[in-house]
Amino acid sequence: MSEELIVPTMAEMMAEGKQPEILFWVGSAGSYDDRAKKITRAFVKILNKANVNFAVLGTEESNTGDVAKRAGNEFLFQMQAVMNIEVLNAYEIKRIVTCDPHSFNCLKNEYPSLGGNYDVIHHTQFIKELISSGRLTLEGNTYKGKRITFHDPCYLGRGNGVYDAPRDVLKKTNATLVEMKRHKRTGLCCGAGGAQMFKDAEPGDKEVNELRTEDALETQPEIIATGCPYCNTMMTDGVKFKEKEAEIKVLDIAELIADA
Amino acid sequence: MDYLPNIIFAIILIAGIGYFAKNVQKLIRNIKLGHKVDASDHKSERWQNVMRIALGQSKMVRRPVSGFLHVIVYVGFIIINIEVLEIIIDGIFGTHRVGLSILPESVYGFLIGSFEVLALFVLVSVIVFWIRRNVIKLRRFMANEMKGWPKSDGNIILYFEVVLMVLFLVMNATDSVHIIEATGTTFQDLGAGNVISQYMAPWFNGLSENTIVIIERTAWWLHIVGILAFLNYLYFSKHLHILLAFPNVYLGKVVPKGKFNNLDAVTAEVKLMMDPDADPFAAPPEGAEDDVPAKFGASDVMDLSQTQLLNAYTCTECGRCTSECPANLTGKKLSPRKIMMDTRDRLEEVGKNIDANKGEFKDDGKQLLGDYITNEELWACTTCNACVEACPVSIDPLSIIMEMRRYLVMEQSAAPMELNTMMTNIENNGAPWPYNQMDRLNWKDE
Ligand code: SF4
Ligand code: SF4
């Protein structure tokens, strides 16, 4: 156990008659996956540091249903969505931030027609906001001059056209940003999307995360930055597969900023 | 007997256009086999897309070499076809270069001159295209789905272009005998507009006037017949895109690419299940019957939307989608281009079935799923949208993949085992892994 984090739940807030400025949607990976939990904690550290009045749903949060939808199970997706919307609407949530681009896309685009209308942003967008409004200041020494390459998550980049926020945030660390040959619009998937995370790949001659890791290695980075818990897992595995884990770190932007 | 050429011309013209119209009708009928789509939203954005992506080819030029060459061929093709207008009038009324009786010599000369220059550019571009396909053998033209007809189709079109452009230039080069009424000279003597053909004219110098006239007339006839043949070839070719790209881009996705549609039929059922007051045994309300689709998702072309079927006819088989597909790049069977080609092939098969059975589709024991597209292909997709982003004519192969996955999961429970486990977990614990819902906030204290 590391440092104390302040993580209010909506239930607690409600009991005190308070309303947070933003709800942090943690997501299933961020709640249970060991690697992703570190990202969640890093992001909360940032929120605490910037004195953001936020809350989480805690045990009242359930899976968005996104992965079920991509797998083709529209029933399960809509059941999950309707359940979550009931909770969110009961708490009168207006604004949501999440570290998971899949939840981001699903909440932002696929919940509205089922009755869930919120202003949903990705954590890199929120961090950018915190920095530009002066609520969060970075020392800017930790990563000074380090070579960082950013891997675009499909559902943040192509899926929703958010290419700049993560890069703008990374620039604030004074690192040297190096782009992979395939980036932004042509960024290659890490291989986890569309429910692939939960199954073995079809027969082929390579794993997608291997290919993507090769893209990243070409830029000779010291750090591969990600903005999605699944991408993080895929790239971490890829770097291990290439036996480069001693030289190259795979870190979420939240983790980078929490230490910057 | 003087009118014989005019009559023959008119017959060829009517037959050519008539047969094309018949095939267009067939095409529309086939597309209408799909579900209706509502595209009344985002009007201005849709028109902007048509101007930018279809007319302006903004996505083509993302790959600069092929993009640039394609723009030349495309502009050349459209502009040179203005010349066809003159040919048609001349053909019907037996005039010669009627344009000169209407336009000032300088304007006419400028027009024909531009056509000639463009024709030369088109020729060069088409030759480069041919080399890319047949000598350099670019990877995206060598895939499995590009064997046989698709490969020939790609080349036939290039030969068509070469022949048409050469005929056009020869026709002008040998137009040195026939006196034009409006000017009293021949086209070559006129010295306006023969920018390129003047250098070709000397090739024919040694020939008798009679022979030159015969060459000129032959080139003229073959040119117009060639254009009509080209028009009719379209229906059988990936070159339908020169017409269909426009409606297709108009109907293309205007919401964020990550947004997948929510099935209304499912919403109705979910609402019913979640509503504590609903009586599950109550008779469905009047008219509700029609709203419930025969099935969830798609197993055949009739289950797809009209936009998806139009997508299939519009696909240029360029393979830009496949060349950016992570599954395909890592050797999986999935190729988004093949998804589109399979959809078109199956749709054509269904169309022929309808033709053969007096307008009724007779079950042929086949369907798109299984007979054309396999489960293995469908499950390899990461839903990354690279294919959608890459497509120069706004085709969405991913949406077809998703519809077929929906069918597999909701109608057949045929998901891979690991995915079934994942979904059961979500159902039971609200997470894709078998963890307790009550542990959801444990990360806070770890
Ligand atoms: S969405 Fe699917 S088919 Fe399209 S490029 Fe990505 S993996 Fe390939
Ligand atoms: S779907 Fe689009 S990108 Fe793919 S082959 Fe067809 S036209 Fe080309």
Side-chain angles (χ1 to χ4, degrees):
Chain A
M1 147 138 202
S2 43
E3 72 225 90
E4 251 342 285
L5 296 176
I6 308 160
V7 189
T9 63
M10 270 316 297
E12 291 162 10
M13 284 244 164
M14 182 87 147
E16 294 170 31
K18 287 194 225 151
Q19 187 69 13
E21 70 170 277
I22 200 159
L23 177 90
F24 173 27
W25 184 273
V26 183
S28 294
S31 303
Y32 296 111
D33 180 84
D34 284 334
R35 179 67 189 86
K37 279 193 276 192
K38 293 193 183 143
I39 301 172
T40 307
R41 291 183 58 88
F43 183 55
V44 170
K45 205 174 136 187
I46 296 172
L47 294 175
N48 285 171
K49 200 164 139 193
N51 276 320
V52 176
N53 173 20
F54 77 101
V56 298
L57 286 176
T59 54
E60 290 183 279
E61 185 187 292
S62 188
N63 186 275
T64 52
D66 161 81
V67 64
K69 187 177 178 81
R70 312 293 136 180
N73 196 336
E74 185 71 8
F75 270 105
L76 183 51
F77 157 68
Q78 292 203 13
M79 297 276 285
Q80 290 296 118
V82 169
M83 256 162 42
N84 283 319
I85 288 170
E86 225 166 78
V87 176
L88 290 165
N89 287 354
Y91 283 128
E92 296 178 21
I93 301 297
K94 303 274 176 312
R95 201 158 191 233
I96 302 177
V97 62
T98 176
C99 301
D100 173 7
H102 300 266
S103 298
F104 162 72
N105 174 69
C106 189
L107 292 166
K108 174 174 166 288
N109 295 320
E110 291 160 359
Y111 274 34
S113 78
L114 300 171
N117 293 287
Y118 322 103
D119 169 20
V120 187
I121 58 171
H122 186 243
H123 70 311
T124 57
Q125 293 174 303
F126 194 57
I127 294 173
K128 184 179 167 184
E129 214 178 281
L130 292 176
I131 296 176
S132 37
S133 64
R135 294 170 74 185
L136 182 71
T137 42
L138 308 180
E139 283 190 23
N141 292 326
T142 324
Y143 305 104
K144 202 168 190 165
K146 284 229 156 78
R147 287 174 72 82
I148 301 186
T149 188
F150 175 66
H151 162 76
D152 286 283
C154 300
Y155 277 90
L156 186 65
R158 269 191 301 273
N160 288 286
V162 180
Y163 299 110
D164 295 335
R167 291 179 169 79
D168 291 346
V169 168
L170 283 173
K171 281 181 201 144
K172 297 277 188 233
T173 65
N174 294 322
T176 309
L177 212 57
V178 279
E179 293 289 3
M180 293 182 233
K181 173 180 79 212
R182 297 183 251 234
H183 67 282
K184 293 192 178 170
R185 266 192 329 230
T186 55
L188 184 75
C189 176
C190 69
Q196 299 299 338
M197 185 74 191
F198 301 93
K199 60 184 262 300
D200 285 328
E202 277 56 37
D205 40 48
K206 201 182 251 198
E207 295 289 339
V208 177
N209 67 333
E210 255 178 83
L211 183 62
R212 188 49 171 166
T213 305
E214 288 165 12
D215 282 2
L217 294 186
E218 273 177 30
T219 67
Q220 298 175 312
E222 287 158 89
I223 296 169
I224 299 172
T226 59
C228 165
Y230 299 105
C231 295
N232 191 294
T233 303
M234 289 313 229
M235 298 307 282
T236 306
D237 289 352
V239 169
K240 273 194 199 131
F241 181 83
K242 297 280 174 192
E243 300 181 340
K244 293 275 184 212
E245 69 267 35
E247 303 116 76
I248 301 172
K249 282 203 197 116
V250 181
L251 293 172
D252 190 275
I253 290 189
E255 296 176 292
L256 282 158
I257 295 301
D259 282 337
Chain B
M1 277 315 272
D2 274 358
Y3 290 110
L4 196 58
N6 310 39
I7 294 168
I8 294 176
F9 183 87
I11 292 173
I12 292 177
L13 190 69
I14 292 168
I17 295 176
Y19 186 62
F20 176 68
K22 204 180 128 225
N23 278 332
V24 169
Q25 271 172 7
K26 213 178 267 182
L27 184 116
I28 293 171
R29 179 204 65 196
N30 289 355
I31 289 175
K32 283 201 169 151
L33 293 173
H35 296 313
K36 272 213 183 72
V37 280
D38 176 19
S40 55
D41 56 332
H42 297 88
K43 281 227 168 68
S44 75
E45 198 181 338
R46 290 178 188 280
W47 280 112
Q48 269 173 31
N49 285 346
V50 171
M51 298 311 285
R52 226 165 20 99
I53 301 172
L55 204 62
Q57 312 225 333
S58 59
K59 283 183 145 190
M60 275 309 290
V61 293
R62 281 188 194 168
R63 297 202 181 180
V65 179
S66 56
F68 178 68
L69 294 173
H70 187 270
V71 170
I72 292 181
V73 174
Y74 158 78
V75 170
F77 181 81
I78 292 182
I79 296 187
I80 296 168
N81 271 327
I82 299 176
E83 164 72 7
V84 174
L85 206 67
E86 183 180 47
I87 295 189
I88 290 177
I89 298 174
D90 283 347
I92 294 175
F93 298 106
T95 46
H96 186 60
R97 297 210 179 252
V98 71
L100 277 168
S101 337
I102 304 163
L103 302 169
E105 206 178 294
S106 57
V107 176
Y108 185 83
F110 174 77
L111 279 177
I112 301 288
S114 330
F115 299 163
E116 287 201 349
V117 173
L118 277 170
L120 187 70
F121 283 172
V122 169
L123 256 181
V124 174
S125 307
V126 164
I127 291 168
V128 179
F129 276 146
W130 187 87
I131 292 174
R132 283 161 60 90
R133 271 176 194 264
N134 298 284
V135 182
I136 306 177
K137 294 189 194 287
L138 287 191
R139 186 177 180 264
R140 68 184 155 109
F141 299 125
M142 294 298 127
N144 269 333
E145 66 261 26
M146 293 309 284
K147 303 227 163 84
W149 169 246
K151 182 177 169 157
S152 324
D153 182 24
N155 282 329
I156 288 172
I157 282 289
L158 297 179
Y159 302 143
F160 245 118
E161 291 270 1
V162 170
V163 171
L164 287 179
M165 292 305 121
V166 169
L167 286 171
F168 175 68
L169 289 173
V170 168
M171 172 182 106
N172 283 353
T174 50
D175 197 359
S176 55
V177 178
H178 201 135
I179 304 290
I180 303 164
E181 228 179 279
T183 61
T185 61
T186 71
F187 173 68
Q188 283 300 329
D189 290 338
L190 186 67
N194 55 347
V195 197
I196 305 291
S197 61
Q198 56 179 305
Y199 301 103
M200 295 166 67
W203 303 350
F204 304 94
N205 270 351
L207 302 174
S208 72
E209 280 202 349
N210 230 342
T211 319
I212 292 180
V213 170
I214 290 174
I215 296 176
E216 191 271 332
R217 281 293 90 190
T218 312
W220 187 92
W221 277 98
L222 287 179
H223 185 66
I224 183 69
V225 170
I227 284 174
L228 288 171
F230 183 85
L231 186 69
N232 279 288
Y233 179 76
L234 289 184
Y235 178 71
F236 306 95
S237 154
K238 66 176 182 122
H239 270 68
L240 262 180
H241 76 268
I242 62 177
L243 302 172
L244 299 186
F246 297 90
N248 196 72
V249 166
Y250 185 85
L251 293 170
K253 198 166 179 173
V254 281
V255 295
K257 290 195 182 60
K259 177 176 180 170
F260 294 6
N261 65 333
N262 292 339
L263 288 184
D264 292 339
V266 172
T267 312
E269 290 202 23
V270 168
K271 289 254 155 82
L272 201 68
M273 281 162 73
M274 307 289 271
D275 182 0
D277 305 325
D279 175 3
F281 303 107
E286 211 62 43
E289 212 93 355
D290 312 334
D291 298 342
V292 178
K295 57 188 177 197
F296 295 116
S299 62
D300 209 347
V301 285
M302 303 78 129
D303 308 326
L304 295 171
S305 76
Q306 294 180 357
T307 305
Q308 287 167 324
L309 298 184
L310 175 63
N311 277 185
Y313 275 123
T314 309
C315 176
T316 74
E317 297 170 14
C318 69
R320 289 178 182 221
C321 51
T322 296
S323 74
E324 302 204 4
C325 169
N328 193 273
L329 285 171
T330 53
K332 317 301 192 274
K333 255 178 79 182
L334 172 63
S335 159
R337 166 172 60 190
K338 177 175 171 291
I339 300 284
M340 300 318 301
M341 293 169 71
D342 285 343
T343 305
R344 176 169 177 175
D345 288 348
R346 173 59 184 162
L347 184 55
E348 272 298 294
E349 186 176 59
V350 169
K352 287 201 184 106
N353 180 314
I354 294 175
D355 289 337
N357 294 299
K358 306 191 190 77
E360 285 285 330
F361 176 68
K362 230 168 104 195
D363 188 11
D364 57 357
K366 288 211 244 169
Q367 57 175 14
L368 184 60
L369 178 67
D371 295 302
Y372 288 82
I373 300 172
T374 59
N375 295 14
E376 182 182 332
E377 290 161 74
L378 297 171
W379 290 116
C381 176
T382 73
T383 72
C384 73
N385 262 308
C387 50
V388 186
E389 181 71 55
C391 181
V393 288
S394 305
I395 288 171
D396 187 348
L398 172 55
S399 68
I400 297 181
I401 296 174
M402 278 313 304
E403 282 308 328
M404 297 181 83
R405 276 193 183 183
R406 284 172 171 170
Y407 177 83
L408 283 175
V409 171
M410 292 193 285
E411 295 284 345
Q412 299 203 308
S413 307
M417 204 184 51
E418 307 114 294
L419 290 190
N420 280 329
T421 311
M422 176 272 288
M423 293 188 281
T424 312
N425 285 330
I426 294 181
E427 252 177 84
N428 296 337
N429 338 307
W433 302 282
Y435 295 119
N436 194 323
Q437 169 85 40
M438 284 303 132
D439 295 339
R440 211 172 170 99
L441 196 51
N442 290 5
W443 56 266
K444 173 175 120 163
D445 306 308
E446 278 171 11

